[in-house]
Amino acid sequence: MSRYYGAQITVVEDDGRPARFTWDGRVYGVRRIIDHWVNVRMDWAPVPGGGVPERWHWRVEAGTVRAQGVYELRKDTASGQWSLSRVWD
């Protein structure tokens, strides 16, 4: 079972991939990247510099000292903002 969030998060990247993220005041270390995909934003609008805005999705296994889970992280290339899309129990 999964839950949807849409919460903004802070992500530390390593070579363009998420290495750890902070959500709700807790730091989650990425242990394994399960999947990665890219899609074009449905609300397409030109971005500065002429690129097509994309959303990068990363499904990762991550956790804190106390808990571990599977999380879907999303980066909006137009704004550079990361969000937590989904959490699996």
Side-chain angles (χ1 to χ4, degrees):
M1 183 158 93
S2 66
R3 288 178 265 171
Y4 291 95
Y5 284 91
Q8 290 187 352
I9 58 174
T10 303
V11 175
V12 174
E13 297 179 40
D14 181 14
D15 199 24
R17 295 176 286 199
R20 66 180 176 271
F21 62 95
T22 304
W23 173 45
D24 200 24
R26 293 186 203 119
V27 177
Y28 294 77
V30 174
R31 294 187 171 102
R32 178 172 67 108
I33 294 174
I34 298 169
D35 199 5
H36 172 255
W37 66 97
V38 177
N39 59 1
V40 175
R41 287 183 34 186
M42 298 307 289
D43 59 341
W44 187 86
V47 294
V52 175
E54 298 174 327
R55 287 196 172 125
W56 298 353
H57 299 263
W58 299 86
R59 186 168 298 147
V60 300
E61 180 181 308
T64 65
V65 174
R66 296 182 184 160
Q68 182 173 308
V70 175
Y71 304 85
E72 185 178 308
L73 313 178
R74 182 180 74 200
K75 182 177 183 178
D76 186 323
T77 61
S79 67
Q81 179 61 51
W82 284 88
S83 60
L84 175 65
S85 298
R86 187 184 282 188
V87 177
W88 282 265
D89 294 332

